[in-house]
Amino acid sequence: MRTRFVIAIAALAALLALDLGAQPASDAQLVSAYRWHGTGENFGGFSGLEVSEDGTDFIAITDRGYIAKGSFEREGGVISGLKTVRLSPLKSPKGEPFGRFRSDSEGLASHMDGPIFVSFEAKHRVMRFGDVKAKGRTLKKHPDFKGLQNNSSLEALAIDRDGTLYTIPERTGLEGSPFPVYRLRAGSQTWEKPFTIPRFAPYLPVGADIGPDGKFYLLERHLSGILGFTNRIRRFDITPDGFRNEVELLRTPVGLHDNLEGLAVWRDDNDSIRLTMVSDDNFKFFQATEFVEYVVLTPSPDQAVPAN
């Protein structure tokens, strides 16, 4: 017992000594933490999330190539249950479930009423699905994708109002180097690498979304050993010169939530920005699948910054 206590204190001290980046310039308040208890061997490992504009419906993907579609039940704006949840396999270009080494789906981007885009990190690629039942089509790859790290590549994926995609790998390969941002403009078949995002240890990107305010939201996480997970959300303006005006909206205490990996950003009935997240339980009995939701307390300008 004493040894475990010493290890825990040492791990906490190491975390506090790291450069965690800029201190929060605004804040967010926890409003929902709902445990999702599913059944079957394919339930779990949720790594990507999208939520409808009114916060009612959601789609989520697992890191074993499955997609879930359902709706939230809410009481006083707080998630109280789920309904009409369907879990089914994503389909390959041949119309079949993906094999073991091609099913590691991580990032999710969709307008909910249109095509679904999914990023994968075992065979590094982004695919397009017409809907949850449609066969997938692999998009042309950026030359960098081939050299990305296994199990640490295209974790974060987001789509803007015009259909432009943004994806960010979990690791850069060089300790301390910024994270590259890959962009596929709407209607184009060629990925660009126009700019980067600053990196502050120990957090790594795991999810992203573009909010109704036109801003880019990045979800990052860190596993602090036996102490559990801590997460951070940063917000950026999307400008012709890159992601600018960084604000840290949220940094969770170690162990408060499980392994949050999927992020969806929407505006509620009070005109407040909501940050809805889902956790990846890694298919472990000692971890949990949960929906976590925060309200951003500081207002965000209604006028979106134009993307270029």
Side-chain angles (χ1 to χ4, degrees), residues 115-143:
I116 297 167
F117 296 90
V118 177
S119 62
F120 295 77
E121 68 171 7
K123 298 293 183 179
H124 318 303
R125 67 200 190 280
V126 177
M127 297 191 70
R128 180 189 186 277
F129 301 84
D131 55 48
V132 296
K133 297 181 180 180
K135 295 187 291 185
R137 176 175 62 84
T138 303
L139 304 184
K140 186 177 180 180
K141 301 176 183 179
H142 188 280

Short mmCIF file of all heavy atoms in Angstrom, two decimals, residues 115-143:
data_model
loop_
_atom_site.label_atom_id
_atom_site.label_comp_id
_atom_site.label_asym_id
_atom_site.label_seq_id
_atom_site.Cartn_x
_atom_site.Cartn_y
_atom_site.Cartn_z
N PRO A 115 -23.05 13.04 -45.64
CA PRO A 115 -22.08 11.95 -45.58
C PRO A 115 -21.31 11.93 -44.26
O PRO A 115 -21.24 12.94 -43.54
CB PRO A 115 -21.14 12.25 -46.76
CG PRO A 115 -21.31 13.70 -47.03
CD PRO A 115 -22.73 14.03 -46.68
N ILE A 116 -20.74 10.77 -43.95
CA ILE A 116 -19.98 10.56 -42.73
C ILE A 116 -18.53 10.31 -43.12
O ILE A 116 -18.25 9.48 -43.99
CB ILE A 116 -20.55 9.37 -41.94
CG1 ILE A 116 -21.99 9.65 -41.51
CG2 ILE A 116 -19.68 9.05 -40.73
CD1 ILE A 116 -22.71 8.41 -41.02
N PHE A 117 -17.61 11.04 -42.49
CA PHE A 117 -16.19 10.86 -42.74
C PHE A 117 -15.55 10.27 -41.49
O PHE A 117 -15.82 10.70 -40.37
CB PHE A 117 -15.53 12.19 -43.10
CG PHE A 117 -16.05 12.79 -44.38
CD1 PHE A 117 -17.13 13.66 -44.37
CD2 PHE A 117 -15.46 12.48 -45.59
CE1 PHE A 117 -17.63 14.20 -45.54
CE2 PHE A 117 -15.94 13.02 -46.78
CZ PHE A 117 -17.03 13.88 -46.75
N VAL A 118 -14.68 9.27 -41.70
CA VAL A 118 -14.04 8.57 -40.60
C VAL A 118 -12.54 8.46 -40.88
O VAL A 118 -12.15 8.09 -41.99
CB VAL A 118 -14.64 7.16 -40.41
CG1 VAL A 118 -13.92 6.41 -39.29
CG2 VAL A 118 -16.14 7.25 -40.11
N SER A 119 -11.73 8.76 -39.87
CA SER A 119 -10.28 8.58 -40.00
C SER A 119 -9.87 7.31 -39.26
O SER A 119 -10.44 6.95 -38.23
CB SER A 119 -9.53 9.79 -39.46
OG SER A 119 -9.79 9.99 -38.07
N PHE A 120 -8.86 6.64 -39.82
CA PHE A 120 -8.37 5.38 -39.28
C PHE A 120 -6.88 5.52 -38.99
O PHE A 120 -6.17 6.23 -39.69
CB PHE A 120 -8.57 4.25 -40.29
CG PHE A 120 -10.01 3.92 -40.59
CD1 PHE A 120 -10.76 4.73 -41.44
CD2 PHE A 120 -10.61 2.79 -40.06
CE1 PHE A 120 -12.08 4.43 -41.74
CE2 PHE A 120 -11.93 2.47 -40.35
CZ PHE A 120 -12.67 3.29 -41.19
N GLU A 121 -6.41 4.76 -37.98
CA GLU A 121 -5.00 4.90 -37.62
C GLU A 121 -4.19 3.62 -37.73
O GLU A 121 -2.98 3.65 -37.49
CB GLU A 121 -4.85 5.49 -36.22
CG GLU A 121 -5.30 4.60 -35.09
CD GLU A 121 -4.92 5.16 -33.73
OE1 GLU A 121 -4.43 6.29 -33.67
OE2 GLU A 121 -5.11 4.45 -32.73
N ALA A 122 -4.78 2.50 -38.05
CA ALA A 122 -3.97 1.30 -38.30
C ALA A 122 -3.43 1.37 -39.73
O ALA A 122 -2.23 1.35 -39.97
CB ALA A 122 -4.77 0.03 -38.07
N LYS A 123 -4.33 1.44 -40.70
CA LYS A 123 -4.00 1.78 -42.07
C LYS A 123 -4.41 3.24 -42.24
O LYS A 123 -5.59 3.56 -42.39
CB LYS A 123 -4.74 0.89 -43.06
CG LYS A 123 -4.40 -0.59 -42.95
CD LYS A 123 -2.95 -0.85 -43.36
CE LYS A 123 -2.65 -2.34 -43.32
NZ LYS A 123 -1.26 -2.64 -43.73
N HIS A 124 -3.45 4.14 -42.17
CA HIS A 124 -3.71 5.57 -42.03
C HIS A 124 -4.46 6.11 -43.24
O HIS A 124 -3.90 6.22 -44.34
CB HIS A 124 -2.40 6.32 -41.85
CG HIS A 124 -1.43 5.64 -40.93
ND1 HIS A 124 -1.74 5.33 -39.62
CD2 HIS A 124 -0.16 5.19 -41.12
CE1 HIS A 124 -0.70 4.73 -39.04
NE2 HIS A 124 0.26 4.63 -39.94
N ARG A 125 -5.72 6.50 -43.02
CA ARG A 125 -6.54 6.97 -44.13
C ARG A 125 -7.80 7.65 -43.59
O ARG A 125 -8.14 7.54 -42.41
CB ARG A 125 -6.96 5.78 -45.01
CG ARG A 125 -7.92 4.80 -44.32
CD ARG A 125 -7.92 3.46 -45.01
NE ARG A 125 -8.99 2.57 -44.53
CZ ARG A 125 -8.93 1.84 -43.42
NH1 ARG A 125 -7.88 1.94 -42.61
NH2 ARG A 125 -9.93 1.04 -43.08
N VAL A 126 -8.51 8.36 -44.49
CA VAL A 126 -9.83 8.92 -44.21
C VAL A 126 -10.79 8.35 -45.23
O VAL A 126 -10.48 8.31 -46.43
CB VAL A 126 -9.82 10.47 -44.28
CG1 VAL A 126 -11.22 11.02 -44.06
CG2 VAL A 126 -8.84 11.04 -43.25
N MET A 127 -11.97 7.92 -44.77
CA MET A 127 -12.96 7.33 -45.66
C MET A 127 -14.27 8.10 -45.60
O MET A 127 -14.60 8.74 -44.59
CB MET A 127 -13.21 5.87 -45.31
CG MET A 127 -11.98 4.98 -45.47
SD MET A 127 -12.37 3.20 -45.34
CE MET A 127 -13.31 2.95 -46.87
N ARG A 128 -15.03 8.03 -46.69
CA ARG A 128 -16.33 8.67 -46.79
C ARG A 128 -17.42 7.60 -46.89
O ARG A 128 -17.30 6.64 -47.65
CB ARG A 128 -16.40 9.56 -48.03
CG ARG A 128 -17.73 10.28 -48.23
CD ARG A 128 -17.78 10.94 -49.60
NE ARG A 128 -18.96 11.76 -49.77
CZ ARG A 128 -20.16 11.30 -50.13
NH1 ARG A 128 -20.34 10.00 -50.34
NH2 ARG A 128 -21.18 12.14 -50.29
N PHE A 129 -18.48 7.77 -46.07
CA PHE A 129 -19.63 6.88 -46.09
C PHE A 129 -20.88 7.72 -46.36
O PHE A 129 -21.09 8.75 -45.70
CB PHE A 129 -19.78 6.16 -44.75
CG PHE A 129 -18.58 5.33 -44.35
CD1 PHE A 129 -17.48 5.93 -43.72
CD2 PHE A 129 -18.52 3.98 -44.62
CE1 PHE A 129 -16.37 5.18 -43.36
CE2 PHE A 129 -17.41 3.22 -44.27
CZ PHE A 129 -16.34 3.82 -43.65
N GLY A 130 -21.72 7.29 -47.30
CA GLY A 130 -22.92 8.04 -47.60
C GLY A 130 -23.87 8.13 -46.42
O GLY A 130 -24.54 9.14 -46.22
N ASP A 131 -23.94 7.07 -45.63
CA ASP A 131 -24.72 7.03 -44.39
C ASP A 131 -24.20 5.86 -43.57
O ASP A 131 -23.20 5.23 -43.94
CB ASP A 131 -26.23 6.90 -44.66
CG ASP A 131 -26.58 5.71 -45.54
OD1 ASP A 131 -26.08 4.59 -45.27
OD2 ASP A 131 -27.35 5.89 -46.51
N VAL A 132 -24.85 5.55 -42.46
CA VAL A 132 -24.33 4.53 -41.55
C VAL A 132 -24.35 3.13 -42.17
O VAL A 132 -23.64 2.24 -41.70
CB VAL A 132 -25.11 4.52 -40.22
CG1 VAL A 132 -24.92 5.83 -39.49
CG2 VAL A 132 -26.59 4.24 -40.46
N LYS A 133 -25.14 2.93 -43.21
CA LYS A 133 -25.24 1.61 -43.83
C LYS A 133 -24.50 1.51 -45.16
O LYS A 133 -24.42 0.42 -45.75
CB LYS A 133 -26.71 1.25 -44.06
CG LYS A 133 -27.53 1.13 -42.78
CD LYS A 133 -28.96 0.75 -43.08
CE LYS A 133 -29.79 0.63 -41.81
NZ LYS A 133 -31.20 0.25 -42.10
N ALA A 134 -23.95 2.61 -45.62
CA ALA A 134 -23.34 2.64 -46.96
C ALA A 134 -21.93 2.07 -46.97
O ALA A 134 -21.23 2.06 -45.95
CB ALA A 134 -23.33 4.07 -47.48
N LYS A 135 -21.49 1.63 -48.13
CA LYS A 135 -20.11 1.19 -48.32
C LYS A 135 -19.18 2.40 -48.28
O LYS A 135 -19.52 3.48 -48.75
CB LYS A 135 -19.96 0.45 -49.65
CG LYS A 135 -20.73 -0.85 -49.74
CD LYS A 135 -20.42 -1.61 -51.01
CE LYS A 135 -20.98 -0.90 -52.22
NZ LYS A 135 -20.79 -1.71 -53.46
N GLY A 136 -18.00 2.21 -47.72
CA GLY A 136 -17.04 3.30 -47.61
C GLY A 136 -16.21 3.49 -48.87
O GLY A 136 -16.04 2.57 -49.66
N ARG A 137 -15.70 4.71 -49.01
CA ARG A 137 -14.79 5.03 -50.11
C ARG A 137 -13.57 5.73 -49.54
O ARG A 137 -13.71 6.73 -48.81
CB ARG A 137 -15.48 5.92 -51.14
CG ARG A 137 -14.55 6.38 -52.27
CD ARG A 137 -15.33 7.15 -53.33
NE ARG A 137 -15.94 8.37 -52.84
CZ ARG A 137 -15.30 9.53 -52.74
NH1 ARG A 137 -14.02 9.64 -53.08
NH2 ARG A 137 -15.95 10.61 -52.29
N THR A 138 -12.39 5.24 -49.84
CA THR A 138 -11.17 5.83 -49.31
C THR A 138 -10.80 7.09 -50.08
O THR A 138 -10.73 7.07 -51.31
CB THR A 138 -10.00 4.82 -49.38
OG1 THR A 138 -10.35 3.64 -48.67
CG2 THR A 138 -8.74 5.41 -48.78
N LEU A 139 -10.57 8.17 -49.35
CA LEU A 139 -10.14 9.41 -49.98
C LEU A 139 -8.64 9.34 -50.30
O LEU A 139 -7.89 8.60 -49.66
CB LEU A 139 -10.41 10.60 -49.05
CG LEU A 139 -11.85 10.79 -48.56
CD1 LEU A 139 -11.96 12.06 -47.72
CD2 LEU A 139 -12.83 10.83 -49.73
N LYS A 140 -8.25 10.09 -51.29
CA LYS A 140 -6.84 10.15 -51.64
C LYS A 140 -6.03 10.61 -50.42
O LYS A 140 -6.45 11.49 -49.67
CB LYS A 140 -6.63 11.12 -52.81
CG LYS A 140 -5.20 11.13 -53.33
CD LYS A 140 -5.07 12.07 -54.54
CE LYS A 140 -3.63 12.09 -55.06
NZ LYS A 140 -3.49 12.99 -56.23
N LYS A 141 -4.85 10.02 -50.24
CA LYS A 141 -4.07 10.26 -49.03
C LYS A 141 -3.02 11.36 -49.25
O LYS A 141 -2.55 11.58 -50.36
CB LYS A 141 -3.35 8.98 -48.60
CG LYS A 141 -4.29 7.81 -48.30
CD LYS A 141 -3.50 6.56 -47.97
CE LYS A 141 -4.41 5.37 -47.74
NZ LYS A 141 -3.65 4.13 -47.43
N HIS A 142 -2.67 12.03 -48.15
CA HIS A 142 -1.51 12.92 -48.17
C HIS A 142 -0.26 12.04 -48.11
O HIS A 142 -0.27 10.99 -47.45
CB HIS A 142 -1.55 13.87 -46.97
CG HIS A 142 -0.50 14.93 -47.01
ND1 HIS A 142 0.81 14.71 -46.64
CD2 HIS A 142 -0.58 16.23 -47.38
CE1 HIS A 142 1.49 15.83 -46.79
NE2 HIS A 142 0.69 16.77 -47.23
N PRO A 143 0.83 12.41 -48.77
CA PRO A 143 2.05 11.59 -48.72
C PRO A 143 2.55 11.29 -47.31
O PRO A 143 3.17 10.24 -47.07
CB PRO A 143 3.07 12.43 -49.51
CG PRO A 143 2.23 13.25 -50.45
CD PRO A 143 0.97 13.56 -49.69
#
